Amino acid sequence: MMDLYQSQRTMRSMRRAAMQRGVIAILDVGTFKISCLVLRFDGPDDAMEREGVGPMAGQSTFRVIGAATTRSRGVRFGEIAAMPETERAVRTAVQAAQKMANVRVDHVIACFSGARPRSYGLAGEWQLRERIVTENDVANVLANCDLPDLGDNREVIHAQPVNFAIDHRTGLSDPRGQAGNRLACDMHLLSVDALAVQTLLNCINRCDLEVAGIASSAYVSGISTLVEDEQELGAACVDMGGGATGLSIFMKKHMIYADSVRLGGDHVSIDISKGLEIPLATAEKIKTLHGGVQATGVDDRDMIEIGSDSGDWDKDRRQVSRAELIGIMRPRVEEILEEVRARLDAAGFDHLPSQQIVLTGGGSQIPGLDGLAAKILGQRVRLGRPLRVQGLPQAATGPAFSSAVGLCLFAAHPQDEWWDFEVPADRYPARSLKRAVKWFKDNW
Amino acid sequence: MQPMTVHRRDPAPSRFSYRMQRLWLTPTFRFLVRRGLPVLFVLLVLAVVFGSAARRQALLAQYNAVRTQIEHRPEFMLSMLSIEGASPTLADAVRKMLDIPFPVSSFDLDLKKLRAQIEALDAVASANVAVGPDGVLQVTITERQPVAVWRTADGLTLVDGTGHRVASLTKRDARADLPLVVGLGADQAIPQAMALLAAAGPIAPRVRALVRVGERRWDMVLDRHQRVLLPEADPVAALERVIALDQARHLFDRDILSVDMRLPDRPAVQLSPAAFAARQKALGLEAKTGAAKK
């Protein structure tokens, strides 16, 4: 537990160092594509010091100076399956982004969609001694949260205090400076598969890069796609990626639940490939150009050349109607959405006051998806695109880049996490204190 | 038939090229390669070229040859010396002293040194040396104008208004137009002597010489062996008093030897022995003293 706390703290200090240097790269390791953006931070912008909300909602402290996207290799279900392949893909993306930015980046903040995230709600209590809440009290109440059994090989990736309560007043976002007898806190904890994360970190380290932070892609795409009132009132963000579909629920500007379905756009492509007996690349192309989920009468007459280069004339001149293609795609998309519905129900999304659902990610670009999603997920469904950040190329503004853009925002203004607070002094292992005493004795 | 496998090039950069690109994007490394390496290369080439003494000598010789060639172009050659503002004798002396072997390149002449050399001559007040057009070395001289003849034990010397020596003189008659000053240190007080002579006015034709006494004051010697002893301080005023006395009472027409003005409040007149005897006789004092003061 301490290990993770320390490694997360190391990442935070790395992030601060990168901020000081002014250049940081963000890396979205997806199943279908790997994108790398290079950000330049210009220090505290004067827009930040002005009254009210500045341009770009205060996000103009950074600027994207390099962007590159490459086809992902060796990644399945958002987890690295073949590290050398993934390493090559990361190198391709980072090199192209560095070339565009014309600077060398050493620090990377990464996100990934897989690794089976699991959400926990934690609660902690702390008796105040001074009656006034100090930073130390906050650290103590966070440390006092009872940690559930995460299981073998699980690591905490996000541990964010969501809500503070002093005595009987709840819903405080920042309790410091307030008076009371008892401080209570709700924390949202997201655990992931430790080995998958370790593999990703190793992969990035093998590219001579330092990891300055790591995030779940479901969380960061929620940051970039949900507008402010949706984050405040409660909404779910469904990030339909290539190999995994992430979903995150936001309330009062905090993520309160995240999960991922190990199904995505790649499964649709595989279905098409199998159903039409065509190569996966052709299936992907046909899906992108002609895909859909709502068949109409005209689709029966809309014939698509599916081609092939087998040398057999009959096989190479095959045609399918668009209705057939939709017939293959729709059940799979429905399955994904049903799965998402099940996860949302399990999380108790029904009980939230707002039932807004935002679909984003590359998979959300299937025509007619919003109609289908409305039937399965509920009436209040919209398609989301990421926030527009300064300097982002036009090609990277689509919904497929919502987690990359969200990661930019995450890099610029990370949410306070558990490890941002000093560990309470009495929680330090006695061994280290003894070691310090010994050091003093040896040296003085 | 085997299915043809298509070998597509891996788009990913090799680990080496990736590292090279990152290295190239490092500012320090970039600066070293872009600025440091060329500078190092140039320095290395220079060191190799100038490392051998023979090559250095050859290069120096070549440089000197080219330099000589340029210096001896006709545009820079001087063929004659022209002296202006000097009397023929002085001009000849200057010509002889400089002794420039014409034709000569103007680069080989040190004009400042030449000028200092000319100005070192007594007769020259100031000189100007310039390279004129058509290969003429132009020397313009301002001569010292002698204002007095100074007689010392060594002989006669012409001095100018500042007391500086101009030339020697063999005979006083050669410059009869100039007044004569005598005595040690007379040259130091030439301006005062000139002021006295200017103030002499009516008795000027009678002035024979000014005698410097004890390097401190002047005696004015007139004909008929008369002499005016002037004080150290303000001699001109004293002289004017004497002249006023002469004009009012015809002092110098009388038989006197000297007028002593050294003490301003006690002027004294020395009579000639004959006049003194006559005066004694007229006063009825037949004493046999040699001289008495009035």
Side-chain angles (χ1 to χ4, degrees):
Chain A
M1 203 58 225
M2 225 56 198
D3 270 0
L4 169 90
Y5 184 89
Q6 287 306 335
S7 70
Q8 291 276 17
R9 276 187 85 91
T10 320
M11 283 191 204
R12 277 297 158 97
S13 63
M14 207 83 88
R15 179 189 158 271
R16 265 196 297 278
M19 287 294 201
Q20 229 142 47
R21 278 177 77 172
V23 176
I24 198 166
I26 68 110
L27 194 65
D28 174 18
V29 183
T31 315
F32 184 71
K33 63 162 178 51
I34 290 184
S35 45
C36 175
L37 305 182
V38 179
L39 312 182
R40 180 187 290 289
F41 288 87
D42 306 321
D45 208 16
D46 51 0
M48 294 297 288
E49 284 153 22
R50 241 181 292 152
E51 282 289 311
V53 179
M56 310 297 298
Q59 306 293 2
S60 58
T61 49
F62 66 85
R63 179 176 175 85
V64 179
I65 55 170
T69 304
T70 184
R71 203 189 61 173
S72 182
R73 298 156 63 179
V75 181
R76 291 182 66 222
F77 303 118
E79 294 159 21
I80 293 173
M83 183 135 82
E85 286 287 298
T86 313
E87 189 194 329
R88 279 195 202 108
V90 169
R91 278 210 305 260
T92 314
V94 171
Q95 186 178 42
Q98 275 185 151
K99 196 167 180 176
M100 179 175 165
N102 205 22
V103 290
R104 176 191 167 140
V105 285
D106 291 323
H107 300 92
V108 160
I109 295 185
C111 79
F112 59 94
S113 56
R116 300 177 186 273
R118 209 173 295 154
S119 262
Y120 298 90
L122 271 51
E125 268 192 26
W126 180 251
Q127 287 298 325
L128 294 175
R129 291 180 185 138
E130 307 281 329
R131 296 186 57 83
I132 301 283
V133 180
T134 62
E135 195 130 333
N136 203 28
D137 291 321
V138 176
N140 273 315
V141 73
L142 291 179
N144 248 15
C145 287
D146 45 350
L147 196 72
D149 181 20
L150 295 176
D152 284 344
N153 287 329
R154 302 288 293 178
E155 261 196 25
V156 179
I157 181 167
H158 293 294
Q160 298 161 340
V162 172
N163 181 30
F164 287 100
I166 297 174
D167 294 341
H168 299 291
R169 289 179 293 135
T170 183
L172 307 172
S173 58
D174 188 354
R176 283 174 298 176
Q178 305 196 46
N181 293 315
R182 190 183 60 93
L183 179 66
C185 138
D186 297 319
M187 184 151 79
H188 173 240
L189 186 141
L190 192 67
S191 78
V192 290
D193 205 12
L195 298 177
V197 175
Q198 198 54 48
T199 316
L200 177 65
L201 297 189
N202 281 349
C203 180
I204 292 171
N205 283 334
R206 279 169 63 121
C207 298
D208 305 336
L209 299 166
E210 306 264 15
V211 182
I214 193 155
S216 154
S217 83
Y219 171 50
V220 290
S221 48
I223 298 178
S224 72
T225 320
L226 298 183
V227 295
E228 204 155 350
D229 53 339
E230 283 170 346
Q231 285 186 19
E232 178 71 37
L233 299 173
C237 171
V238 178
D239 180 4
M240 305 178 71
T245 298
L247 58 113
S248 55
I249 302 176
F250 277 72
M251 179 96 188
K252 293 203 171 171
K253 304 231 169 105
H254 291 290
M255 176 173 70
I256 54 170
Y257 180 78
D259 204 343
S260 120
V261 177
R262 287 160 79 79
L263 284 170
D266 277 2
H267 297 89
V268 179
S269 298
I270 291 168
D271 283 352
I272 295 170
S273 168
K274 284 177 180 167
L276 301 179
E277 292 180 331
I278 51 173
L280 193 59
T282 318
E284 181 71 43
K285 192 177 115 190
I286 289 173
K287 179 185 82 172
T288 316
L289 290 179
H290 307 285
V293 287
Q294 295 280 19
T296 56
V298 76
D299 289 332
D300 288 332
R301 297 188 295 278
D302 190 354
M303 300 307 283
I304 304 163
E305 293 269 353
I306 54 175
S308 152
D309 52 358
S310 65
D312 179 49
W313 195 86
D314 281 332
K315 186 169 187 202
D316 289 356
R317 303 294 300 164
R318 277 179 302 157
Q319 284 184 327
V320 289
S321 67
R322 186 160 180 253
E324 272 181 276
L325 180 66
I326 289 170
I328 296 172
M329 286 176 71
R330 181 165 172 136
R332 183 60 90 168
V333 176
E334 275 177 351
E335 188 194 350
I336 295 172
L337 293 175
E338 295 283 2
E339 195 70 28
V340 168
R341 177 78 257 172
R343 301 294 172 100
L344 287 177
D345 287 344
F349 183 64
D350 298 351
H351 306 294
L352 286 191
S354 167
Q355 296 288 311
Q356 181 73 52
I357 291 176
V358 178
L359 296 176
T360 186
S364 73
Q365 287 164 299
I366 304 173
L369 181 71
D370 46 348
L372 182 62
K375 282 183 186 156
I376 298 172
L377 298 177
Q379 282 305 308
R380 299 192 52 201
V381 170
R382 73 171 178 93
L383 296 179
R385 294 171 145 271
L387 196 76
R388 302 185 61 171
V389 295
Q390 224 179 352
L392 195 69
Q394 178 64 35
T397 51
F401 290 86
S402 59
S403 57
V405 171
L407 205 51
C408 294
L409 307 182
F410 174 78
H413 301 287
Q415 155 109 49
D416 274 352
E417 304 222 25
W418 174 43
W419 34 82
D420 286 329
F421 295 93
E422 289 294 332
V423 98
D426 55 333
R427 296 256 159 182
Y428 272 116
R431 198 176 61 236
S432 68
L433 206 69
K434 270 184 199 150
R435 210 183 296 154
V437 171
K438 184 174 179 294
W439 184 85
F440 259 92
K441 272 186 185 163
D442 290 349
N443 288 282
W444 296 88
Chain B
M1 203 169 128
Q2 285 285 317
M4 210 168 63
T5 46
V6 184
H7 285 286
R8 214 177 281 154
R9 202 181 60 81
D10 191 349
S14 69
R15 192 175 278 250
F16 176 76
S17 80
Y18 173 75
R19 289 210 172 131
M20 279 301 115
Q21 197 225 11
R22 281 171 66 77
L23 188 64
W24 180 239
L25 286 174
T26 312
T28 325
F29 179 79
R30 216 166 151 138
F31 178 81
L32 275 182
V33 170
R34 282 187 159 174
R35 300 279 147 79
L37 276 190
V39 167
L40 206 68
F41 180 72
V42 167
L43 287 182
L44 202 72
V45 166
L46 288 181
V48 166
V49 167
F50 289 101
S52 99
R55 213 177 275 140
R56 232 166 22 224
Q57 295 280 313
L59 213 68
L60 203 66
Q62 201 176 1
Y63 169 76
N64 282 337
V66 170
R67 197 193 155 111
T68 317
Q69 203 185 343
I70 291 171
E71 282 176 358
H72 286 85
R73 287 176 71 84
E75 290 87 345
F76 300 125
M77 295 304 282
L78 296 178
S79 53
M80 59 184 285
L81 176 68
S82 143
I83 299 177
E84 277 179 17
S87 59
T89 26
L90 182 60
D92 267 355
V94 168
R95 228 175 262 281
K96 207 165 283 172
M97 184 186 68
L98 296 181
D99 194 22
I100 299 168
F102 287 110
V104 67
S105 165
S106 56
F107 286 98
D108 295 340
L109 291 180
D110 186 353
L111 296 186
K112 274 183 186 158
K113 207 167 132 195
L114 287 182
R115 183 180 168 197
Q117 218 175 338
I118 294 169
E119 285 186 342
L121 289 176
D122 283 333
V124 178
S126 70
N128 203 6
V129 182
V131 174
D134 303 328
V136 176
L137 181 63
Q138 192 89 39
V139 177
T140 316
I141 290 177
T142 315
E143 275 195 64
R144 285 189 197 283
Q145 292 304 320
V147 296
V149 179
W150 179 31
R151 170 174 283 149
T152 57
D154 300 335
L156 292 167
T157 309
L158 287 171
V159 291
D160 74 346
T162 62
H164 195 280
R165 180 183 180 279
V166 176
S168 337
L169 202 62
T170 42
K171 278 164 64 185
R172 167 77 178 97
D173 290 350
R175 295 305 300 263
D177 54 326
L178 296 180
L180 182 69
V181 294
V182 184
L184 226 60
D187 56 334
Q188 304 296 319
I190 290 293
Q192 203 175 38
M194 290 300 112
L196 287 173
L197 288 171
I203 58 166
R206 295 192 50 210
V207 174
R208 282 287 169 270
L210 281 168
V211 179
R212 191 71 172 162
V213 179
E215 289 189 55
R216 117 191 115 76
R217 61 172 203 87
W218 289 105
D219 273 6
M220 186 177 268
V221 178
L222 307 178
D223 54 358
R224 295 207 321 264
H225 301 292
Q226 285 178 340
R227 186 181 271 259
V228 182
L229 285 71
L230 295 169
E232 193 182 346
D234 208 1
V236 176
L239 183 64
E240 277 168 354
R241 272 178 74 190
V242 173
I243 289 168
L245 207 59
D246 176 48
Q247 283 181 336
R249 311 282 284 273
H250 304 287
L251 182 63
F252 290 121
D253 294 349
R254 295 163 198 261
D255 194 3
I256 58 169
L257 280 181
S258 65
V259 181
D260 187 349
M261 299 297 288
R262 284 176 298 183
L263 295 174
D265 48 345
R266 291 187 62 188
V269 174
Q270 185 186 4
L271 302 178
S272 69
F276 181 68
R279 180 176 161 75
Q280 294 291 72
K281 197 171 165 187
L283 291 173
L285 302 166
E286 298 278 343
K288 277 289 173 195
T289 44
K293 284 180 184 164
K294 185 183 172 183

